[in-house]
Amino acid sequence: MPDIRFGIVGSGMIAGVTAKAIDQATGARAVAVSSKHFDRAKKFASEHKIAKVFKSWQQLVEARDIDAVYVATPTICREEICLAALKNGNHLISEKPFLNGLSAHRIANQAQSRGLAFMDATHFTHHPRTKQVIKQQQKSIGDVQRIYSAFLFPFVERDNIRFNPKLEPTGAIADIGWYNMRAIVEFLRPAGTIQSIAGAVKRDQETGAVISGTGMIEFSSAQTSTFDFGYDAGVCDMDLNILGDNGLIQLNDFVLDWKDSFVFGNPNYSADFTLRQGMATPREFEHFAVDTQKSQVVYMIEHFCHMATTEDIELRNAAAARAIHTQELLDHYCSSVGVTLETSNF
């Protein structure tokens, strides 16, 4: 089967991470890039051995020799590009977040109506460990009742778009709070609707951007999630605690694994997790190591290529549903802390 030919919209840091993953993935090839900064796009193309450089995303999504488009632009302009890519018959993988839940629905509906794949670019979802943790949940700890997640790291660069509310209207909430919400979708899998939600956020005094927050969500199924996120902790914290009827599963790198992620990359480490039950002391904790041969970003690209070539409609629908559910949880949290979501022009 021929490679899926990718066009990349955007030339920033995360676009570079994904371009590298496309190059390393089986069944994928990056063939074009576009950016509003043409010089950056040319440099990006040279670095990643990409043949075609377009001056606009409109030219890229209309190109006939592209099978899929990866969108890595600021949130505020993402929907227009996603819809145009789908309209022109391209499968779609997009950075997150989306403008709001309605925007995510519009993109998913467009993909479904045209028989195309749509996936959000959440890396840890595709890590083999995630699947193994879910299996261990079912085997060892029973029904999951609550989870706690934290994603915090030191980052204060006010010239970055994360500190520009015009481009990223919800700041850290949707940038890294997305992963707290995705942990709910992947591991808690709430059986009920939101019963109550509360939280608090902190804004940067100079830019007004949301830079950190905390929260709690209670579902009608009596399941709960508490979470923290932000740029201002002075440390990288990626803890995840999954509590069930019969025990606890813990990870301390659930977003960017210590072993293979683009941030850390320590090949001598392993991707692991810990199981605790009853009154076990530390020497009695069970430790599980998950073998990985590739980074979770590469796994993501390969899973997307499979989704683009399969006729398994349920697989595609499930991917879209996870993106929508994650975004809708973010919307509810934003509303609870008084952060106004912009509306789309569509």
Side-chain angles (χ1 to χ4, degrees):
M1 185 173 294
D3 291 346
I4 296 293
R5 298 167 297 180
F6 283 81
I8 299 172
V9 180
S11 57
M13 181 275 292
I14 196 64
V17 169
T18 305
K20 182 178 179 180
I22 292 170
D23 182 60
Q24 295 173 345
T26 300
R29 180 161 49 97
V31 299
V33 63
S34 71
S35 173
K36 66 178 181 179
H37 305 287
F38 189 56
D39 288 343
R40 292 185 195 173
K42 289 192 293 183
K43 181 179 179 183
F44 186 96
S46 176
E47 290 174 350
H48 297 283
K49 299 180 176 60
I50 296 173
K52 292 187 177 181
V53 184
F54 292 100
K55 291 185 177 180
S56 72
W57 63 261
Q58 289 92 342
Q59 292 175 320
L60 183 144
V61 301
E62 292 175 358
R64 294 185 178 182
D65 55 351
I66 290 174
D67 304 306
V69 172
Y70 164 64
V71 180
T73 65
T75 302
I76 204 70
C77 57
R78 196 167 290 151
E79 180 181 355
E80 180 182 10
I81 301 169
C82 289
L83 291 176
L86 292 166
K87 182 179 179 180
N88 283 282
N90 298 299
H91 299 288
L92 174 68
I93 181 167
S94 173
E95 279 304 324
K96 66 287 167 209
F98 302 94
L99 200 59
N100 50 42
L102 291 175
S103 178
H105 269 288
R106 285 189 287 267
I107 294 167
N109 289 342
Q110 176 89 293
Q112 184 178 32
S113 69
R114 295 179 178 274
L116 297 167
F118 161 53
M119 177 189 286
D120 68 81
T122 306
H123 302 169
F124 84 82
T125 298
H126 305 276
H127 197 296
R129 179 176 58 181
T130 297
K131 185 176 182 179
Q132 188 62 38
V133 166
I134 292 170
K135 285 184 178 179
Q136 199 67 44
Q137 287 176 205
Q138 297 166 345
K139 177 181 178 181
S140 301
I141 68 173
D143 292 336
V144 177
Q145 301 298 337
R146 60 185 68 86
I147 66 170
Y148 166 72
S149 63
F151 187 25
L152 305 116
F153 61 89
F155 182 83
V156 182
E157 295 181 10
R158 292 186 174 90
D159 58 348
N160 188 280
I161 64 170
R162 292 170 175 82
F163 284 77
N164 185 341
K166 291 182 178 179
L167 296 177
E168 299 295 341
T170 59
I173 298 174
D175 178 30
I176 58 176
W178 172 277
Y179 297 92
N180 304 98
M181 303 305 162
R182 190 49 158 261
I184 294 172
V185 172
E186 297 290 342
F187 301 110
L188 185 64
R189 301 193 177 192
T193 57
I194 292 177
Q195 189 76 15
S196 64
I197 184 168
V201 297
K202 177 182 175 182
R203 291 184 179 272
D204 179 57
Q205 291 184 354
E206 291 186 25
T207 64
V210 176
I211 57 172
S212 63
T214 188
M216 188 279 288
I217 303 178
E218 175 192 14
F219 296 91
S220 58
S221 55
Q223 296 166 290
T224 60
S225 176
T226 54
F227 49 87
D228 293 286
F229 60 88
Y231 306 134
D232 59 346
V235 66
C236 183
D237 181 0
M238 300 179 289
D239 288 349
L240 175 66
N241 289 357
I242 306 168
L243 292 101
D245 293 332
N246 302 311
L248 163 69
I249 289 175
Q250 292 181 306
L251 292 79
N252 61 15
D253 60 345
F254 89 96
V255 179
L256 299 163
D257 67 282
W258 306 123
K259 180 178 182 286
D260 292 313
S261 69
F262 68 92
V263 174
F264 297 106
N266 293 290
N268 294 326
Y269 288 11
S270 64
D272 57 18
F273 63 95
T274 301
L275 171 66
R276 296 169 52 183
Q277 293 178 295
M279 299 299 291
T281 58
R283 289 185 179 179
E284 298 169 304
F285 295 171
E286 271 192 271
H287 300 277
F288 297 84
V290 179
D291 183 43
T292 56
Q293 303 302 319
K294 310 168 186 177
S295 74
Q296 56 188 359
V297 194
V298 174
Y299 283 117
M300 179 185 74
I301 294 299
E302 292 182 346
H303 291 170
F304 175 76
C305 290
H306 172 67
M307 198 170 74
T309 55
T310 186
E311 295 184 4
D312 187 344
I313 303 302
E314 290 187 6
L315 181 66
R316 291 182 178 180
N317 289 346
R322 286 198 296 273
I324 291 169
H325 192 184
T326 307
Q327 184 63 52
E328 288 179 339
L329 289 172
L330 278 175
D331 291 359
H332 284 291
Y333 178 75
C334 285
S335 179
S336 75
V337 296
V339 173
T340 302
L341 293 168
E342 297 291 336
T343 56
S344 171
N345 293 324
F346 288 78

